[in-house]
Structures are given as C-alpha cells and as structure tokens.
C-alpha cells in the first residue's frame, strides 16, 4: 500500500520513486531508437529499445521527474473532474444549466422539456420506462435550443459594445475548442457552454467577438476583451478547469 502519492497504471509491471511520488508504470520493449514516455488517463507507459538497460530507462525517467509528476497529477485531476461531471440520465439525476444543477423529473404528461416554475427541476416529457439514452437525447435537444437563444442574446449585447458585425451564429460540437470566429463575421460556439455560468458564456462570446477586430492573441487582442470584460481572467481560468458534462 502506498504511503506516498501513488500513480499506478492498471498494466504496471515496474515501479519507481520520483521525488515524493511512487509511479508504477507499464513497460514494454519496442522497435524504436529511443525511450518513449506517454502519460495518459490510465497512467505512465514507457517504451524502450531492447538494447537500452533498465537502469538507463530509470535514469531517463528521473531526468523527467518534474514533468512526469506534473502530467500524472494533471491527468488524475482531469479524470476526477470528468467523473464529477458525469450525468446520470435518469429520474432524479442532476444536469447543470447556466452553472446551476437542475434535477431531472420525468413527467409523461408533458410534451418536450421545460424548466419548472422555480427553475430547480428540468421536466422531461417521458415516462418511467424511458432509457437513459432517450432522456439524454431529449435534454440535449432542449439544451441546444436554449443555447441558440442565450448565445444570440449575448452575442448581440457584446457585438454592439465592441462595434463588430456578426453575420452568422452557429453551434459547435468540436472536441477541443469552445468557439471560433471567421473574418466574414461568422461565430461558432460550443453548445455545451450552456451548462456553465453566465460569466463563462460571456467570456467565450467576448473572446470570439474580439477576434473580429484582432485575428490573433496579441496584447491588443486581450485589450479588446478587457474593454468589455475587465475581469475576464477569472472565467478564463475557471473554464480551463471545467469538464463538459456527459
């Protein structure tokens, strides 16, 4: 049992202490010219040529001690965030909407999906026999419709303040980007932003609109963002720590 922080790959067959951490890693010989290290959600995997000794492999790991420990910790935190963001698509499950958890309530006499009067519950027009996939599909469709309305309003608000013209707003499902802007004035925003608080939505909207004035991330670009969102750095940092609810 580890008394030190321990990072253990499920297929680990070797172990090493790096700094104040124990790292159990998957080790394989491979047809390659150098030692390869990959840090993924499961942990550390190491590949090495047959002619490289285990002592040399461990020396290489120690030379990358800070980088490896940092990446392993980041991956662990990411896995934990994703687990916390996982949604149970059943009656009583919690779905974040604009930064607040809304409890799923299956209501077969309802047509579609709607917030309750107190906005604490998300009413879904399905019966108790509905599968999680059916619940998820209905709620996702509702969230995307809401996202269109909310994004359009916030884009109009900040576009006026920044003096830019938006020709088109569309929803995105990109895996790695929250939004994008094109020189023709079109804006794409990830629909899942509607899960997050208003300040985060506003940050991403402003970020993309600012690109219509500065198609870069120069100091001038950030000054454009700051001109309408003086405290943009707080939602920017928060967004980096968030995982998309699934």
């Amino acid at each position: 049992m580890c008394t030190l922080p321990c990072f253990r790959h499920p297929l680990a067959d070797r172990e090493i202490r790096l700094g104040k951490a124990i790292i159990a890693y998957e080790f394989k010989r491979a047809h390659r010219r150098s030692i390869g290290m990959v840090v993924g959600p499961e942990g550390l995997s190491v590949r090495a040529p047959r002619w490289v000794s285990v002592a040399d492999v461990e020396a290489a790991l120690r030379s990358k001690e800070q980088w490896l420990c940092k990446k392993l910790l980041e991956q662990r935190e990411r896995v934990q965030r994703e687990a916390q963001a996982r949604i149970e698509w059943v009656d009583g499950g919690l779905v974040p909407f604009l930064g607040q958890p809304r409890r799923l309530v299956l209501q077969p006499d309802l047509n579609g999906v709607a917030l309750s009067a107190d906005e604490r519950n998300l009413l879904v027009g399905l019966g108790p026999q509905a599968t999680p996939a059916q619940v998820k599909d209905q709620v996702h469709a509702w969230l995307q419709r809401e996202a269109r309305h909310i994004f359009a309003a916030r884009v109009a608000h900040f576009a006026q303040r920044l003096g830019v013209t938006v020709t088109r707003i569309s929803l995105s499902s990109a895996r790695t980007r929250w939004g994008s802007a094109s020189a023709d004035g079109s804006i794409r925003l990830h629909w899942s932003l509607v899960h997050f608080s208003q300040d985060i939505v506003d940050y991403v909207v402003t970020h993309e609109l600012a690109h219509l004035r500065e198609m870069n991330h120069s100091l001038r670009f950030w000054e454009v963002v700051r001109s309408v969102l003086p405290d943009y750095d707080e939602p920017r940092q928060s967004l980096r720590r968030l995982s998309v609810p699934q």
Side-chain angles (χ1 to χ4, degrees), residues 38-64:
V38 176
V39 177
E42 294 186 317
L44 173 63
S45 296
V46 179
R47 303 289 184 268
R50 297 188 180 281
W51 50 268
V52 173
S53 69
V54 171
D56 287 339
V57 170
E58 293 186 346
L61 293 175
R62 290 192 177 92
S63 72
K64 299 285 187 180

Side-chain angles (χ1 to χ4, degrees), residues 2-72:
C2 292
T3 56
L4 295 172
C6 186
F7 300 91
R8 181 171 297 277
H9 193 288
L11 300 178
D13 46 14
R14 298 201 66 82
E15 188 174 284
I16 188 172
R17 175 172 174 172
L18 296 180
K20 296 182 179 180
I22 300 296
I23 300 175
Y25 59 97
E26 179 195 28
F27 178 66
K28 288 187 177 181
R29 296 292 182 176
H31 294 290
R32 52 181 299 132
R33 295 182 179 180
S34 60
I35 300 170
M37 308 172 196
V38 176
V39 177
E42 294 186 317
L44 173 63
S45 296
V46 179
R47 303 289 184 268
R50 297 188 180 281
W51 50 268
V52 173
S53 69
V54 171
D56 287 339
V57 170
E58 293 186 346
L61 293 175
R62 290 192 177 92
S63 72
K64 299 285 187 180
E65 176 183 305
Q66 289 188 343
W67 180 83
L68 286 170
C69 289
K70 177 184 176 183
K71 292 300 179 183
L72 284 164

Side-chain angles (χ1 to χ4, degrees), residues 28-175:
K28 288 187 177 181
R29 296 292 182 176
H31 294 290
R32 52 181 299 132
R33 295 182 179 180
S34 60
I35 300 170
M37 308 172 196
V38 176
V39 177
E42 294 186 317
L44 173 63
S45 296
V46 179
R47 303 289 184 268
R50 297 188 180 281
W51 50 268
V52 173
S53 69
V54 171
D56 287 339
V57 170
E58 293 186 346
L61 293 175
R62 290 192 177 92
S63 72
K64 299 285 187 180
E65 176 183 305
Q66 289 188 343
W67 180 83
L68 286 170
C69 289
K70 177 184 176 183
K71 292 300 179 183
L72 284 164
L73 184 58
E74 288 175 353
Q75 284 287 352
R76 174 173 288 179
E77 291 174 347
R78 179 183 176 186
V79 168
Q80 290 172 344
R81 287 197 305 270
E82 290 176 349
Q84 292 169 355
R86 194 166 295 119
I87 296 171
E88 295 292 331
W89 296 101
V90 296
D91 191 63
L94 296 176
V95 177
F97 175 64
L98 292 179
Q100 296 297 320
R102 321 290 173 152
R103 189 170 300 279
L104 292 172
V105 176
L106 300 190
Q107 194 165 310
D109 58 342
L110 179 71
N111 182 22
V113 179
L115 278 173
S116 61
D118 60 8
E119 298 191 349
R120 294 181 180 180
N121 299 324
L122 197 55
L123 311 177
V124 184
L126 292 171
Q129 76 286 353
T131 67
Q134 289 173 320
V135 177
K136 181 177 180 178
D137 287 346
Q138 279 220 23
V139 174
H140 271 192
W142 180 83
L143 287 169
Q144 289 173 29
R145 289 193 297 272
E146 291 297 306
R148 288 185 184 278
H149 297 310
I150 292 166
F151 296 169
R154 302 315 288 167
V155 166
H157 173 75
F158 286 107
Q160 182 178 28
R161 294 183 63 186
L162 289 171
V164 297
T165 299
V166 177
T167 58
R168 183 169 179 261
I169 305 170
S170 57
L171 299 185
S172 164
S173 299
R175 295 178 64 87

